[in-house]
Amino acid sequence: MSCGDGNFIRGIFRTADSQALFNILKNLECCRPTSHPSSYETCYTYYVPSFDKPGLLKCDDHYFLTQIRVTHCRQLYCVDRLKCCKMETGISYDWID
């Protein structure tokens, strides 16, 4: 699930009593700079190795999360890849929702 071209994921929310992935993605919050076009400078796919070990999953420096992909199930551990994108250069950083 993604926010659409030119937008970035700002928040991922889930209900406190559920681990179902549907509940997380149902409340995806997106944003973008006011003058940002509907495109990115460059993107890459981060393949999630596993949720079996504690740790942090994040995009590289200067890249932002734009998409979360899941496999067949609806649990958090079914996230198998993230898409990270870099903003177009020369863009104002005034953010809008």
Side-chain angles (χ1 to χ4, degrees), residues 58-77:
K58 68 179 194 115
C59 295
D60 293 342
D61 289 345
H62 309 292
Y63 283 79
F64 298 89
L65 184 61
T66 61
Q67 185 178 47
I68 299 169
R69 184 177 175 273
V70 298
T71 57
H72 62 284
C73 79
R74 294 170 45 165
Q75 300 298 319
L76 180 59
Y77 62 82

Side-chain angles (χ1 to χ4, degrees), residues 36-93:
H36 197 271
S38 295
S39 60
Y40 306 106
E41 184 172 313
T42 184
C43 297
Y44 71 92
T45 301
Y46 177 88
Y47 293 92
V48 177
S50 156
F51 279 100
D52 294 337
K53 300 176 186 173
L56 177 66
L57 300 176
K58 68 179 194 115
C59 295
D60 293 342
D61 289 345
H62 309 292
Y63 283 79
F64 298 89
L65 184 61
T66 61
Q67 185 178 47
I68 299 169
R69 184 177 175 273
V70 298
T71 57
H72 62 284
C73 79
R74 294 170 45 165
Q75 300 298 319
L76 180 59
Y77 62 82
C78 294
V79 172
D80 72 339
R81 41 186 105 150
L82 307 174
K83 183 177 178 182
C84 299
C85 297
K86 192 174 193 177
M87 286 187 217
E88 293 281 357
T89 56
I91 302 300
S92 168
Y93 287 95

Side-chain angles (χ1 to χ4, degrees), residues 20-39:
L21 185 58
F22 176 78
N23 291 329
I24 294 170
L25 297 182
K26 181 178 178 185
N27 297 312
L28 198 62
E29 188 174 342
C30 305
C31 63
R32 69 178 176 85
T34 54
S35 59
H36 197 271
S38 295
S39 60

